[in-house]
Structure formats: structure tokens, C-alpha cells
Amino acid sequence: MKSLPLIALLLTTPALAQSKRYPPEPVDKDQEKATYSVLWENATNPNNEPYRALVDQAKQSLGERTDAGWQAAIAKLDRAIALQPTQGDAYGLRGEAHFLLKRWDKCAADFGVAVVKAPRTEATEKKTLLDMHRKQAQCLALSGKLAEAERVLAEATAAGTGTGDLLMRLGEVRIALGKLDEAIAVLGAALDAPETPQAVTRWFLALAYDRARRPAEAIEESRRAYNMDRSFGAISNQTLIGPGDLEYIKGLAYASIEGPKPELAIIFFRQYLKAAPESPWRRRAEEHLRELKDSQLPESIDRLDGSAALEMEAARLAVKKAMPALRACMAKTPSSVVQVRLVKVGPRSKTDPYGPPPGPYRRYNHRRLPPPAGASVAAYGEVPLEATRAEIDAALRCIEPLAQRVALPAVKEKDNWYEIAFFVIGP
């Protein structure tokens, strides 16, 4: 056996010993494969790298959440698609930008292409692909192509793989098509499916029951939805298919909840009729308004604060007597709401009952001062103003002196007070 030169032994032996003593870390085969794939794509397709750069830049522009950013994203994605027309992700992103800009036809077209060109991997089938079907259908529905939107959603859910969100959207489309029994069935199924926005689904179910003239079930679902979404934040964040449907849902809710607020229900049904003059559900909204118009406003008043005893029915009747004059002040603002707060204060003691008494616990025993007696009026912030600021201010100036004269029950107990509130709407 021929021996190695001394220099070769000196160079190789430590390396061999080191490799045995410190074996290299295991190679991540998936990462190695992905890296190789990217390198191969870049080597065989010179457009791949600039395409990816444009897509990444478009994502940043979309994240700006401004019209200018969305327009910039579309310009970048146009260039990316010209470089790589067979890639689906740029179409999906451009569809997002068109959706945010409310270009319904264009977003429907882009999501349709993205669905066709999306890679058919297991992860894509389960998540991304279904999401793109949902967005495509929503854009189709918002552009007025309801039957096509229903077909896309029905096909996406036919295999039983659709999420509750997809079923919910199918229910919404069927409400818009007037297929109310089918809408009720699919929305009921959505409640038992995974990934279902429960509050939004129940709002749609209440809407479907109401339009199908099943009022008891509509009231029940409205109450359930309201208990989940008292601020209407979940439903307000949705881009709804039917014009004015958000206002209709709010009107239905305020007419249905325990301790109904007919003033608010009337305003929202009025706003619905204004937003959807050609709606097939216009007659149903008008029926609600006729029923609510017969209410003895105010049906109730709210006690906000205070320590004095108060007979609420006597206070309501006092407000009711003043209501015709108060409502006349709102004649030029029929779709707005004013909230009136009235404070009634009893006689005061000769000594100051609101100061801290003497003794070691004086810091903790003082009583809270009442607010100033009288009336305060303001536009109700939860209802969008559909009048000019000048018209609202004129209504407030008209209401305040009339509210001051409402003959509320007197407070007889010394050093006691109460505060109530009620709504005023136009005739």
C-alpha cells in the first residue's frame, strides 16, 4: 500500500477527526427543495424575479389602505401579470385592490382567473381556493350578477367542504334573489358549520325570516343577533349585497329587542327606503313603518341616574304630552334623531349634604353632586345625520326650551334628584 505524503496526512487527519467528532447539522430537505426550485425558476425564466418583486411591492401598496395605495398596487400588478400571465397570485391581489375600490366587475373577473390559475395543492384547495370562490361570488353579486354568484357559491359548497362563511354568503345571495326558504335553510346550516360569523349569520337569518313574513322567528333571531352584536360592529363591517340592508337590519333590531326603541326603528326604516327606492322589499319596510307609526311615542323613557324615587309611567305621560310640539321641531330633519336629557332636583338642606361629614371616614362618606337641573339636547350619535349642520342646530334650539317646560314629577325628598332621557324624531 502506497503511503500518503506527510503534508497530506497533516491536512486531512484533523478534518477527518473533526467531522467524526462534530457531525454536520441535518439538511432540511423541504427548504433545500424550495431553494432549488426558486433558483431553477429564476434560471429558466428571467421574468420570475422581477415578477416576484412587483408582487411584493403591490402587497406593500395594498397595506397602505388608501385609494392611492390601491391604485398603485393595481399598476404594479398589471406589470407583473404582463410578465407572468400564467401565475394566479397577482390576479388575486389585483382582485383585492379592485374590491377595495368597489370595482365589482373587475374584481369578479380577477378572482375568476385567480381561481383557475391557482396551484392545486392540498393547502390551496382547503383554504385559499375557497376564499377566492367566496370573493369572486361576492363581487359578482355586488355587480348585479346574482344568479352567477349563487352558482359559484353552490359549486364551492357542493362537495361539503365549504366553510360556514361560504354558506352564509350563499344565504345572503339567496335573500337578494328572493329565494327565502332556501336562504333560511342554508343559513341554518351555516350556524352549525366551522368558521361561521355567528352574529352576521343570525342578522341575515332575521332578515330572511322577516321578508318571508315569519315575524315571530324574525324577532327571535334579531334578539339573538343583537345580544351578540349590540353595537352592530360585526354587520357594519360587512360589504352587504342589498342596498340599504344594513339600515333595514337595524330597524328590525330596534323594533324587536326587549324594551323596543320605535323611534330608532322608524328612522332606520326611513333611511332604508331612501337608500333602496327600487327594492322589492320596499313594501315590507313600509308595513313596518305603518305599524311603528301607531306607537304612542315615547313608548318608554330611560332612567339614567339619580337617587330620587320616580314613577316612570307618570314621567312618560308627561313627555308624551309634550311630544307633538317637540316632534314639530324636527320637521326639516325627518331622518335624524335628537336625544333629550332632563334632570330634576329636589329641595336642598340648609347644611351642605354633598360635602364630606366630620369624622375619620369623611373621605369616603361624601355624596355625589347632581348635575344641573334642566334640559340638555344633542343629536344622537349612533344614527348618521341626514341633514345639514344648520338644520340640526335649528332643531336643537327649538327643542331645548320646550323640553325645559316638560312637567315631570317633582322630587320631594331633600337632596335627591333623577335624570331621564328620551328620543325625539320628526313627524
Side-chain angles (χ1 to χ4, degrees):
M1 178 178 177
K2 189 174 180 181
S3 60
L4 288 169
L6 180 59
I7 186 68
L9 288 171
L10 290 172
L11 291 172
T12 58
T13 303
L16 287 170
Q18 188 178 17
S19 67
K20 289 179 182 178
R21 212 177 307 159
Y22 304 103
E25 294 182 3
V27 176
D28 185 336
K29 296 294 185 183
D30 292 336
Q31 180 62 38
E32 187 179 57
K33 185 177 179 181
T35 303
Y36 177 79
S37 176
V38 171
L39 291 171
W40 176 254
E41 286 181 13
N42 289 342
T44 57
N45 188 347
N47 288 337
N48 189 63
E49 196 166 352
Y51 170 85
R52 287 291 161 204
L54 286 166
V55 167
D56 289 342
Q57 292 168 22
K59 288 178 181 177
Q60 292 178 359
S61 296
L62 278 171
E64 294 175 11
R65 312 300 296 176
T66 63
D67 285 3
W70 300 330
Q71 295 276 14
I74 290 170
K76 292 179 177 74
L77 292 164
D78 288 344
R79 289 159 57 197
I81 289 167
L83 288 170
Q84 293 277 59
T86 60
Q87 297 291 324
D89 52 350
Y91 289 98
L93 287 170
R94 195 171 67 176
E96 294 277 5
H98 284 310
F99 182 88
L100 293 167
L101 290 165
K102 300 184 179 181
R103 298 172 178 174
W104 311 128
D105 284 324
K106 290 185 176 181
C107 78
D110 273 343
F111 283 125
V113 175
V115 166
V116 172
K117 295 182 181 293
R120 290 317 194 253
T121 64
E122 184 178 353
T124 302
E125 287 287 352
K126 286 183 177 178
K127 180 87 174 162
T128 310
L129 198 58
L130 289 175
D131 189 50
M132 284 193 289
H133 277 301
R134 177 184 61 79
K135 290 173 180 175
Q136 179 194 11
Q138 193 173 8
C139 292
L140 285 167
L142 289 164
S143 66
K145 299 172 183 175
L146 293 170
E148 196 173 344
E150 182 189 26
R151 178 188 59 77
V152 168
L153 289 167
E155 289 175 358
T157 59
T161 57
T163 63
D165 189 45
L166 244 67
L167 292 168
M168 181 193 78
R169 290 297 172 194
L170 180 57
E172 184 192 11
V173 168
R174 285 179 173 167
I175 290 172
L177 284 166
K179 298 180 177 181
L180 298 174
D181 290 339
E182 292 176 64
I184 289 166
V186 77
L187 289 167
L191 291 173
D192 297 324
E195 300 180 32
T196 300
Q198 290 283 322
V200 178
T201 303
R202 290 196 182 278
W203 283 129
F204 285 147
L205 199 49
L207 192 64
Y209 278 133
D210 178 75
R211 291 174 175 177
R213 299 182 182 278
R214 294 165 64 174
E217 291 152 304
I219 290 170
E220 183 180 357
E221 286 302 332
S222 256
R223 288 178 177 176
R224 287 176 178 172
Y226 184 75
N227 287 335
M228 295 178 179
D229 188 26
R230 288 177 178 269
S231 68
F232 301 99
I235 190 67
S236 297
N237 287 332
Q238 301 291 320
T239 303
L240 303 183
I241 292 170
D245 274 356
L246 177 61
E247 287 74 21
Y248 194 107
I249 284 169
K250 289 182 177 181
L252 191 61
Y254 283 124
S256 303
I257 58 175
E258 295 178 12
K261 299 184 184 298
E263 298 92 346
L264 300 184
I266 288 169
I267 290 299
F268 281 115
F269 280 124
R270 285 177 180 174
Q271 291 184 358
Y272 170 77
L273 291 174
K274 186 175 180 181
E278 304 300 323
S279 169
W281 313 114
R282 181 180 181 88
R283 182 176 295 177
R284 184 66 179 133
E286 289 171 340
E287 289 173 5
H288 281 300
L289 279 174
R290 281 195 294 272
E291 292 168 5
L292 290 163
K293 196 172 181 180
D294 293 335
S295 302
Q296 297 296 311
L297 300 181
E299 279 198 356
S300 63
I301 58 176
D302 295 321
R303 177 167 181 153
L304 301 182
D305 206 347
S307 54
L310 173 63
E311 175 54 53
M312 294 295 287
E313 181 60 16
R316 188 189 74 82
L317 291 173
V319 173
K320 178 185 172 184
K321 187 175 180 180
M323 190 56 71
L326 293 169
R327 294 188 69 184
C329 294
M330 300 282 289
K332 293 185 178 179
T333 58
S335 294
S336 299
V337 181
V338 164
Q339 186 179 48
V340 177
R341 294 185 176 210
L342 295 178
V343 176
K344 197 80 170 176
V345 179
R348 295 283 296 271
S349 300
K350 292 181 180 179
T351 58
D352 184 3
Y354 301 105
Y361 301 106
R362 64 196 303 270
R363 178 180 173 189
Y364 306 101
N365 290 343
H366 68 278
R367 296 174 65 183
R368 188 159 49 90
L369 284 165
S376 61
V377 297
Y380 188 57
E382 293 185 23
V383 178
L385 295 177
E386 294 198 354
T388 67
R389 186 72 252 178
E391 288 172 333
I392 292 293
D393 288 343
L396 297 178
R397 287 193 300 271
C398 176
I399 289 170
E400 186 172 4
L402 296 173
Q404 296 275 13
R405 295 197 290 270
V406 173
L408 290 175
V411 177
K412 297 178 181 179
E413 308 96 327
K414 288 184 178 181
D415 309 319
N416 281 280
W417 59 280
Y418 63 77
E419 181 180 16
I420 65 164
F422 58 89
F423 296 116
V424 180
I425 60 172

CSV table of all heavy atoms in Angstrom, one decimal, residues 261-294:
chain,number,residue,atom,x,y,z
A,261,LYS,N,-87.1,50.3,20.8
A,261,LYS,CA,-86.9,51.7,20.6
A,261,LYS,C,-87.5,52.1,19.3
A,261,LYS,O,-86.8,52.1,18.2
A,261,LYS,CB,-85.4,52.0,20.7
A,261,LYS,CG,-84.7,51.6,22.0
A,261,LYS,CD,-83.3,52.0,22.0
A,261,LYS,CE,-82.6,51.6,23.3
A,261,LYS,NZ,-83.2,52.2,24.5
A,262,PRO,N,-88.8,52.3,19.3
A,262,PRO,CA,-89.5,52.5,18.0
A,262,PRO,C,-89.0,53.8,17.3
A,262,PRO,O,-89.0,53.8,16.0
A,262,PRO,CB,-91.0,52.7,18.4
A,262,PRO,CG,-91.0,53.0,19.8
A,262,PRO,CD,-89.7,52.3,20.4
A,263,GLU,N,-88.5,54.8,18.0
A,263,GLU,CA,-88.0,56.0,17.3
A,263,GLU,C,-86.9,55.6,16.4
A,263,GLU,O,-86.8,56.1,15.3
A,263,GLU,CB,-87.6,57.0,18.4
A,263,GLU,CG,-88.7,57.5,19.3
A,263,GLU,CD,-88.8,56.7,20.6
A,263,GLU,OE1,-88.2,55.6,20.6
A,263,GLU,OE2,-89.5,57.2,21.5
A,264,LEU,N,-85.9,54.8,16.9
A,264,LEU,CA,-84.8,54.5,16.1
A,264,LEU,C,-85.2,53.5,15.0
A,264,LEU,O,-84.6,53.6,13.9
A,264,LEU,CB,-83.7,53.8,17.0
A,264,LEU,CG,-83.2,54.6,18.2
A,264,LEU,CD1,-82.0,53.9,18.9
A,264,LEU,CD2,-82.6,56.0,17.7
A,265,ALA,N,-86.1,52.6,15.3
A,265,ALA,CA,-86.6,51.7,14.2
A,265,ALA,C,-87.2,52.5,13.1
A,265,ALA,O,-86.9,52.3,11.9
A,265,ALA,CB,-87.6,50.7,14.8
A,266,ILE,N,-88.0,53.5,13.4
A,266,ILE,CA,-88.6,54.4,12.4
A,266,ILE,C,-87.6,55.0,11.5
A,266,ILE,O,-87.6,55.0,10.3
A,266,ILE,CB,-89.6,55.4,13.0
A,266,ILE,CG1,-90.8,54.7,13.5
A,266,ILE,CG2,-89.9,56.5,12.0
A,266,ILE,CD1,-91.7,55.6,14.4
A,267,ILE,N,-86.6,55.6,12.2
A,267,ILE,CA,-85.5,56.3,11.4
A,267,ILE,C,-84.8,55.4,10.5
A,267,ILE,O,-84.5,55.8,9.3
A,267,ILE,CB,-84.5,57.0,12.4
A,267,ILE,CG1,-85.2,58.2,13.1
A,267,ILE,CG2,-83.3,57.5,11.7
A,267,ILE,CD1,-85.7,59.3,12.2
A,268,PHE,N,-84.4,54.2,10.9
A,268,PHE,CA,-83.6,53.3,10.1
A,268,PHE,C,-84.5,52.8,8.9
A,268,PHE,O,-84.0,52.6,7.8
A,268,PHE,CB,-83.0,52.2,10.9
A,268,PHE,CG,-81.8,52.7,11.6
A,268,PHE,CD1,-81.7,52.7,13.0
A,268,PHE,CD2,-80.6,53.1,10.9
A,268,PHE,CE1,-80.6,53.1,13.7
A,268,PHE,CE2,-79.5,53.5,11.6
A,268,PHE,CZ,-79.5,53.5,13.0
A,269,PHE,N,-85.8,52.5,9.1
A,269,PHE,CA,-86.6,52.1,8.0
A,269,PHE,C,-86.8,53.2,7.0
A,269,PHE,O,-86.8,53.0,5.8
A,269,PHE,CB,-88.0,51.6,8.5
A,269,PHE,CG,-87.9,50.2,9.0
A,269,PHE,CD1,-88.3,49.9,10.3
A,269,PHE,CD2,-87.5,49.1,8.2
A,269,PHE,CE1,-88.3,48.6,10.8
A,269,PHE,CE2,-87.4,47.8,8.7
A,269,PHE,CZ,-87.8,47.5,10.0
A,270,ARG,N,-86.9,54.5,7.5
A,270,ARG,CA,-86.9,55.6,6.6
A,270,ARG,C,-85.6,55.7,5.8
A,270,ARG,O,-85.7,56.0,4.5
A,270,ARG,CB,-87.1,56.9,7.4
A,270,ARG,CG,-88.5,57.2,7.9
A,270,ARG,CD,-88.5,58.4,8.8
A,270,ARG,NE,-89.9,58.7,9.3
A,270,ARG,CZ,-90.1,59.7,10.2
A,270,ARG,NH1,-89.2,60.5,10.6
A,270,ARG,NH2,-91.4,59.9,10.6
A,271,GLN,N,-84.5,55.5,6.4
A,271,GLN,CA,-83.2,55.5,5.7
A,271,GLN,C,-83.1,54.4,4.7
A,271,GLN,O,-82.6,54.6,3.6
A,271,GLN,CB,-82.1,55.5,6.7
A,271,GLN,CG,-82.0,56.8,7.5
A,271,GLN,CD,-80.8,56.8,8.5
A,271,GLN,OE1,-80.0,55.8,8.5
A,271,GLN,NE2,-80.6,57.9,9.2
A,272,TYR,N,-83.7,53.2,5.0
A,272,TYR,CA,-83.7,52.1,4.1
A,272,TYR,C,-84.5,52.5,2.8
A,272,TYR,O,-84.0,52.3,1.7
A,272,TYR,CB,-84.3,50.9,4.7
A,272,TYR,CG,-84.6,49.8,3.7
A,272,TYR,CD1,-83.5,49.0,3.2
A,272,TYR,CD2,-85.9,49.6,3.2
A,272,TYR,CE1,-83.7,48.0,2.2
A,272,TYR,CE2,-86.1,48.6,2.2
A,272,TYR,CZ,-85.0,47.8,1.8
A,272,TYR,OH,-85.2,46.9,0.8
A,273,LEU,N,-85.7,53.1,3.0
A,273,LEU,CA,-86.5,53.5,1.8
A,273,LEU,C,-85.8,54.5,0.9
A,273,LEU,O,-85.9,54.5,-0.3
A,273,LEU,CB,-87.8,54.0,2.3
A,273,LEU,CG,-88.8,53.0,2.9
A,273,LEU,CD1,-90.0,53.7,3.5
A,273,LEU,CD2,-89.2,51.9,2.0
A,274,LYS,N,-85.0,55.4,1.6
A,274,LYS,CA,-84.2,56.3,0.8
A,274,LYS,C,-83.1,55.7,0.1
A,274,LYS,O,-82.8,56.1,-1.1
A,274,LYS,CB,-83.7,57.4,1.7
A,274,LYS,CG,-83.0,58.6,1.1
A,274,LYS,CD,-82.6,59.7,2.1
A,274,LYS,CE,-82.0,60.8,1.4
A,274,LYS,NZ,-81.6,61.9,2.3
A,275,ALA,N,-82.4,54.7,0.7
A,275,ALA,CA,-81.3,54.0,0.1
A,275,ALA,C,-81.7,53.0,-1.0
A,275,ALA,O,-80.9,52.8,-1.9
A,275,ALA,CB,-80.4,53.3,1.1
A,276,ALA,N,-82.9,52.5,-0.9
A,276,ALA,CA,-83.3,51.4,-1.8
A,276,ALA,C,-84.7,51.7,-2.4
A,276,ALA,O,-85.6,50.9,-2.1
A,276,ALA,CB,-83.2,50.1,-1.1
A,277,PRO,N,-84.8,52.7,-3.2
A,277,PRO,CA,-86.1,53.1,-3.7
A,277,PRO,C,-86.8,52.1,-4.6
A,277,PRO,O,-88.0,52.0,-4.7
A,277,PRO,CB,-85.9,54.4,-4.4
A,277,PRO,CG,-84.5,54.4,-4.8
A,277,PRO,CD,-83.8,53.7,-3.7
A,278,GLU,N,-85.9,51.3,-5.3
A,278,GLU,CA,-86.5,50.3,-6.2
A,278,GLU,C,-86.5,48.9,-5.6
A,278,GLU,O,-86.7,47.9,-6.3
A,278,GLU,CB,-85.6,50.3,-7.5
A,278,GLU,CG,-85.5,51.6,-8.2
A,278,GLU,CD,-86.9,52.2,-8.6
A,278,GLU,OE1,-87.7,51.3,-9.0
A,278,GLU,OE2,-87.1,53.4,-8.5
A,279,SER,N,-86.2,48.7,-4.3
A,279,SER,CA,-86.1,47.4,-3.7
A,279,SER,C,-87.4,46.6,-3.7
A,279,SER,O,-88.5,47.2,-3.5
A,279,SER,CB,-85.7,47.6,-2.3
A,279,SER,OG,-85.8,46.3,-1.6
A,280,PRO,N,-87.4,45.3,-4.0
A,280,PRO,CA,-88.6,44.5,-3.9
A,280,PRO,C,-89.1,44.4,-2.5
A,280,PRO,O,-90.3,43.9,-2.3
A,280,PRO,CB,-88.2,43.1,-4.4
A,280,PRO,CG,-86.7,43.1,-4.2
A,280,PRO,CD,-86.2,44.5,-4.4
A,281,TRP,N,-88.3,44.8,-1.5
A,281,TRP,CA,-88.7,44.7,-0.1
A,281,TRP,C,-89.2,46.0,0.4
A,281,TRP,O,-89.4,46.2,1.6
A,281,TRP,CB,-87.6,44.2,0.8
A,281,TRP,CG,-86.9,43.0,0.2
A,281,TRP,CD1,-85.6,43.0,-0.3
A,281,TRP,CD2,-87.4,41.7,0.0
A,281,TRP,NE1,-85.3,41.7,-0.8
A,281,TRP,CE2,-86.4,40.9,-0.7
A,281,TRP,CE3,-88.7,41.2,0.2
A,281,TRP,CZ2,-86.6,39.6,-1.0
A,281,TRP,CZ3,-88.9,39.8,-0.1
A,281,TRP,CH2,-87.9,39.1,-0.7
A,282,ARG,N,-89.4,47.0,-0.5
A,282,ARG,CA,-89.9,48.3,-0.1
A,282,ARG,C,-91.2,48.2,0.7
A,282,ARG,O,-91.4,48.9,1.7
A,282,ARG,CB,-90.0,49.2,-1.3
A,282,ARG,CG,-90.5,50.6,-1.0
A,282,ARG,CD,-90.5,51.5,-2.3
A,282,ARG,NE,-91.0,52.8,-1.9
A,282,ARG,CZ,-90.1,53.8,-1.6
A,282,ARG,NH1,-88.8,53.6,-1.5
A,282,ARG,NH2,-90.6,55.0,-1.3
A,283,ARG,N,-92.1,47.4,0.1
A,283,ARG,CA,-93.5,47.3,0.7
A,283,ARG,C,-93.4,46.8,2.1
A,283,ARG,O,-94.1,47.2,3.0
A,283,ARG,CB,-94.4,46.4,-0.2
A,283,ARG,CG,-95.8,46.3,0.4
A,283,ARG,CD,-96.7,45.5,-0.6
A,283,ARG,NE,-96.8,46.1,-1.9
A,283,ARG,CZ,-97.5,45.6,-2.9
A,283,ARG,NH1,-98.1,44.4,-2.7
A,283,ARG,NH2,-97.6,46.3,-4.0
A,284,ARG,N,-92.5,45.8,2.3
A,284,ARG,CA,-92.4,45.2,3.7
A,284,ARG,C,-91.9,46.3,4.7
A,284,ARG,O,-92.3,46.4,5.8
A,284,ARG,CB,-91.4,44.1,3.7
A,284,ARG,CG,-91.2,43.3,5.0
A,284,ARG,CD,-92.5,42.6,5.4
A,284,ARG,NE,-92.4,41.9,6.7
A,284,ARG,CZ,-93.2,42.0,7.6
A,284,ARG,NH1,-94.3,42.8,7.5
A,284,ARG,NH2,-93.0,41.3,8.8
A,285,ALA,N,-90.9,47.1,4.2
A,285,ALA,CA,-90.4,48.2,5.1
A,285,ALA,C,-91.5,49.2,5.4
A,285,ALA,O,-91.6,49.7,6.5
A,285,ALA,CB,-89.2,48.9,4.4
A,286,GLU,N,-92.3,49.5,4.4
A,286,GLU,CA,-93.5,50.4,4.6
A,286,GLU,C,-94.5,49.9,5.6
A,286,GLU,O,-95.1,50.6,6.4
A,286,GLU,CB,-94.1,50.8,3.3
A,286,GLU,CG,-93.3,51.6,2.4
A,286,GLU,CD,-93.8,51.8,1.0
A,286,GLU,OE1,-94.6,50.9,0.6
A,286,GLU,OE2,-93.4,52.7,0.3
A,287,GLU,N,-94.7,48.6,5.6
A,287,GLU,CA,-95.6,47.9,6.6
A,287,GLU,C,-95.0,48.1,8.0
A,287,GLU,O,-95.8,48.4,8.9
A,287,GLU,CB,-95.7,46.4,6.2
A,287,GLU,CG,-96.5,46.1,5.0
A,287,GLU,CD,-96.5,44.7,4.6
A,287,GLU,OE1,-95.9,43.9,5.4
A,287,GLU,OE2,-97.1,44.3,3.6
A,288,HIS,N,-93.7,47.9,8.1
A,288,HIS,CA,-93.1,48.2,9.4
A,288,HIS,C,-93.3,49.6,9.9
A,288,HIS,O,-93.6,49.8,11.1
A,288,HIS,CB,-91.6,47.9,9.4
A,288,HIS,CG,-91.3,46.4,9.5
A,288,HIS,ND1,-91.6,45.6,10.5
A,288,HIS,CD2,-90.6,45.6,8.6
A,288,HIS,CE1,-91.2,44.4,10.3
A,288,HIS,NE2,-90.6,44.3,9.1
A,289,LEU,N,-93.2,50.5,9.0
A,289,LEU,CA,-93.3,51.9,9.4
A,289,LEU,C,-94.8,52.2,9.8
A,289,LEU,O,-95.0,53.0,10.7
A,289,LEU,CB,-92.9,52.8,8.2
A,289,LEU,CG,-91.4,53.1,8.0
A,289,LEU,CD1,-91.1,53.9,6.8
A,289,LEU,CD2,-90.9,53.9,9.2
A,290,ARG,N,-95.7,51.6,9.1
A,290,ARG,CA,-97.1,51.9,9.5
A,290,ARG,C,-97.4,51.3,10.9
A,290,ARG,O,-98.1,51.9,11.7
A,290,ARG,CB,-98.1,51.2,8.4
A,290,ARG,CG,-98.2,52.0,7.2
A,290,ARG,CD,-99.4,51.6,6.4
A,290,ARG,NE,-99.2,50.2,5.8
A,290,ARG,CZ,-98.6,49.9,4.7
A,290,ARG,NH1,-98.2,50.9,3.9
A,290,ARG,NH2,-98.5,48.7,4.3
A,291,GLU,N,-96.8,50.1,11.2
A,291,GLU,CA,-97.0,49.6,12.5
A,291,GLU,C,-96.4,50.4,13.6
A,291,GLU,O,-97.0,50.7,14.6
A,291,GLU,CB,-96.4,48.2,12.5
A,291,GLU,CG,-97.2,47.1,11.7
A,291,GLU,CD,-96.4,45.9,11.5
A,291,GLU,OE1,-95.3,45.7,12.1
A,291,GLU,OE2,-96.9,45.0,10.7
A,292,LEU,N,-95.2,50.9,13.3
A,292,LEU,CA,-94.4,51.7,14.2
A,292,LEU,C,-95.1,53.1,14.4
A,292,LEU,O,-95.0,53.7,15.5
A,292,LEU,CB,-93.0,51.9,13.8
A,292,LEU,CG,-92.2,50.6,13.9
A,292,LEU,CD1,-90.9,50.7,13.0
A,292,LEU,CD2,-91.8,50.3,15.3
A,293,LYS,N,-95.7,53.6,13.4
A,293,LYS,CA,-96.3,54.9,13.4
A,293,LYS,C,-97.4,55.0,14.4
A,293,LYS,O,-97.8,56.0,15.0
A,293,LYS,CB,-96.8,55.4,12.0
A,293,LYS,CG,-97.1,56.8,11.9
A,293,LYS,CD,-97.4,57.2,10.5
A,293,LYS,CE,-97.7,58.7,10.3
A,293,LYS,NZ,-98.0,59.1,8.9
A,294,ASP,N,-98.0,53.8,14.7
A,294,ASP,CA,-99.2,53.8,15.6
A,294,ASP,C,-98.7,53.7,17.1
A,294,ASP,O,-99.5,53.7,18.0
A,294,ASP,CB,-100.0,52.5,15.4
A,294,ASP,CG,-100.7,52.6,14.0
A,294,ASP,OD1,-101.0,53.8,13.6
A,294,ASP,OD2,-101.1,51.6,13.4
